[in-house]
Amino acid sequence: MVLRNSRRRCLASAAHPEESDVVIVGGGPAGLALASALGNSAEVSKSLRVVLVEAGDLSKIRDWAPAQNSFSNRVSSITNASRAFLKDIGAWSHVQLDRTAPVEEMQVWDGISDARVAFSAAEMMTPERVALDEMSRLVENLNLQRALLRHISSMPGVSIVDRTKVQSIEKEEREGNGWPLVHLSDGRVLRARLLVGADGFNSPVRSYAGIESYGWAYDTQAIVATMNHHPRTAFEPPNTVAYQRFLPTGPIAFLPLSHTSSSLVWSTKPPLAKALQASDPAVLAGMINAAFRLPEVSMRYLHNRVLEAHAGGSTLLSDELNKEIAWREQSHNVDPRTAYSVTALSRSAPGGIPPAGSDLLPPFVTSIQEGTIASFPLRMSHADAYVGEGRGARTVLVGDAAHTIHPLAGQGLNLGLGDAEALAHCIHTAVRNGGDVGSYTALAPYARDRYFENHKMLSAVDKLHKLYSATAEPVVWARSVGLEVLNELDTIKAALMMSAGSARRTDPASVGWSVAASSLETVARSVNSAKSVGDTIVGLAGATAQGLLKRLSNSSRP
Amino acid sequence: MKPSRLPKPASRAIRYHSAQRHQRLYHASRAAFVSAAASTGSQSSVNPDEIALFSRLSSQWWDERGEFQMLHKMNPVRIQFIREKLLEMRREDGEDAASADDVLKGLNVLDVGCGGGLLCESLARLGANTLGVDASASNIGIASTHASSDPSLNYSLSVKSTSPAPTSRGKGALTYEHTSAEDVLATRGPRQFDVVCSMEVLEHVDNPRTFLRNCADLVKPGGHLFLSTISRTPLAYLLTIFAAEHLLRLVTPGTHTYAKYVRPEELTQFFGDYRSAPESRPWISRLYGGVPTRTEAETRGIIYVPWKGEWTLVPRGAVGARWGEGCNYLFWVRRPLE
Ligand SMILES: Cc1cc2nc3c(=O)[nH]c(=O)nc-3n(C[C@H](O)[C@H](O)[C@H](O)COP(=O)(O)OP(=O)(O)OC[C@H]3O[C@@H](n4cnc5c(N)ncnc54)[C@H](O)[C@@H]3O)c2cc1C
């Protein structure tokens, strides 16, 4: 980082550096989880002074007190392994549980062929062959961050410096083994034995360390929002099912939060995201209902209508959209007695005997919670290394500073928590052995534990995204008959199960691979393929998925 | 400054050098060390060139990705062995509540052949009052320079006193001295240290029996002696001389002399005969199948696991544990109470 303000430089270099053992830059989920894990260990806090620096105002998060039925739009699926870690460090008990929701089942299907996989917690087993209750739990990021902050507030060994930016980082003038000097916006200078970059995608620590990051921006924007919807009735599955449909423009996901609220993550082309964000929220609600139900060609049509209106400087009206939907449904012969009919659902009151197919589709969205529509660009990136060397010695990266991932497998935050867990473990071991926690020797096991693990997930998810956005003829043809799709849905399943299936990350044999043995619940609902073809595909898919699972489980632990 | 030649140091450090680095590191003058070391404590007689020299040497020695990589990686395993053994013995002595966290706290520890101070820094962080000695002035300069940049170490300049400096801030005091085990014994007298360590030195000394006797005499009754060295086996030859020196050139050829390698049973035999005084019992009083009891002495192999990039302590009683002692190993023996 370069100092822009020369007066600041004078101030900063005049200040006497404060000695600190671990300086964490970034108070996002990864940085807070690391601070909390370090502070929770008596052995570590006895010997290390931990300082966390965050540019934003954390008191807003600490004092966050939302109304019962309103939910933040930044929600993450916390896997069982992540939850076990948060329990271990004593932070989970600070999470407000009644604002979280379990995911007991996932329904994932292809937008073109309708080929579908469903999988549930019941399929997953711990190594002791105990079935898991839930696959993951949806938690607002703020709920998690608030819990971590509350936990940290009771820790004497951790100090938090918020509303303070890291202005620049320089290497101490000392031959060879100079330590990083961290210049803060309040003029203080911290001399860091170990500098942790938990500072997000544009990580200043990563630039200081001279670590390159490779990757690419996807031509995709993710829209997030909190949706209000019909409650599930007694005859329907409870709102503990996560739904995701893969449209050629990107996947749309419906993630349960409460009886009547769920979270949306809709990855789509940036112009469409922009147009949808500019529309009346009722139009977004209508488009969401349609996106889970209408055939792909009609979705393409509706997308164009939204884009045209936006390009013409106006927006599509909610009524216009409803008419379009009704018309498309008629032309596709959508049976109004089924849950596939947006029009019928919009006219009926919730309750009574559910229409056919309601277990395959998310509840009907009635409105969008005010002020919750936002979007962010998606990219895949992975740092070339997690631990700095040479001039960048005494640095380490965690969370988004080390990697960013497409949200389709809900892994972004979990990877960051996994990093925090592994790094805290590594620091603990070094302290126990009287080691220097900033030394390469102390940090090497962290990189070894996490790099390949994260890389597997990043590549699997990247490959999936690529496949779904591919427009090359053979790929599209294969998808249209469900061929590739079944294989790929299995890959998604594997990717989701990869960490969802383990009860905790640290168990050596925990990667809940019992799923490989259980039958693949692959339902070939392909419109275009004959039954016999379908059977062959299921067989093929089974073979490849099992191969994949086997490879992954073998490579997961050395 | 024209460096003059130093006597060849009996230090473990030397083995991890390439030829040209070796020249630079060990041919520094003794005079340079004295003033460089002095300058870390006081403002007077500061020679910037000499400080620069030791800073450079220190940064090479402490470059964990450089030539001393293996040594850096070995350190956690040594500490692990020391901690585990001390804890086991405290429990053996009836201190059931002894905690693994502070087994070293407050103990007086001597590290003979401390090199750049790798083991000493860890011991001091764990609360031991640590004295590191080395026959190489350069090494002491390297160790002092490095320790003085680390605020977690309660480091003070070497002063020839009769006991290690008093503790402050709960950390163990860390002191370095350019001297030998023999001199420590001569100036401080016997029975001074709760723990004496000497890692990767034995295979370099010319008279191992004298060396072992000096180390042993410095241990307090009921105290501990920890050694690490290389066994004299075909495997050890293959790995440490043939592969490391000649094939891969990881270590300067000529660093090791196969004939000087010591087998674990030779150490066992030495302490089976060794008595602190003519009338007292030998340090190892009985053997079962050639192996001493775990309360008197123990040998543990350490092996390098390339795919993890780490050294690991061969677990007790593991299949092939004896084989694991066939190359690098750690040895512990306890001085009987008197
Ligand atoms: C706009 C947006 C929306 C997202 N929405 C979702 C979602 O809905 N669901 C989902 O699963 N994932 C979402 N993600 C991804 C998810 O938020 C990240 O994976 C997760 O937050 C990573 O956590 P982290 O702690 O590694 O980094 P971050 O949460 O990015 O935290 C980094 C922190 O470092 C601080 N920082 C940076 N530079 C400095 C500096 N110089 N000085 C001081 N502090 C500094 C920042 O203020 C920030 O608080 C979203 C990402 C973005 C950018």
Side-chain angles (χ1 to χ4, degrees), chain B residues 16-22 24 60 63-71 250:
Chain B
Y16 294 86
H17 276 274
S18 73
Q20 103 267 25
R21 193 59 60 87
H22 175 81
R24 272 187 277 148
Q60 285 165 3
D63 176 6
E64 298 167 88
R65 306 290 279 153
E67 294 154 62
F68 292 92
Q69 205 177 118
M70 282 303 194
L71 195 61
L250 293 172

Side-chain angles (χ1 to χ4, degrees), chain A residues 1 25-31 53-56 73-77 141 145 164-167 198-202 204 224 265 375-376 398-401 407 410 412-413 416:
Chain A
M1 270 175 91
V25 183
V53 185
E54 163 60 45
N73 58 9
R74 289 186 70 172
V75 172
S76 296
S77 146
N141 285 8
Q145 283 176 277
T164 306
K165 242 187 106 133
V166 169
Q167 295 276 11
D199 42 1
F201 174 68
N202 289 311
V224 293
V265 185
S375 78
F376 59 100
V398 296
D400 274 24
L413 195 79

Side-chain angles (χ1 to χ4, degrees), chain A residues 19 21 42-43 46-47 172 174-177 179 191 193 389-390 394 431-442 444-445 448 558, chain B residues 52 55-56 58-59 64-65 72-73 76 79-80 83 100-102 121-123 125-126 145-146 148-152 171 307-310:
Chain A
E19 301 289 353
D21 292 300
E43 216 173 343
K46 207 164 59 183
S47 40
E172 187 183 28
R174 199 188 276 264
E175 169 117 25
N177 62 346
W179 292 15
R191 181 172 184 256
R193 174 186 298 280
E389 288 183 56
R394 298 187 175 274
V431 165
R432 184 168 285 173
N433 287 329
D436 174 352
V437 298
S439 66
Y440 189 87
T441 311
R448 201 193 54 227
Chain B
S55 302
R56 203 171 62 244
S58 175
S59 68
E64 298 167 88
R65 306 290 279 153
H72 283 271
K73 286 178 176 174
I79 294 282
Q80 183 197 342
R83 286 173 65 252
D101 302 357
D102 51 16
E121 287 196 5
S122 296
L123 293 168
R125 273 196 204 96
L126 292 170
T145 309
H146 191 265
S148 62
S149 75
D150 190 330
S152 75
K171 300 278 180 189
W307 59 90
K308 286 178 92 182
E310 276 175 17

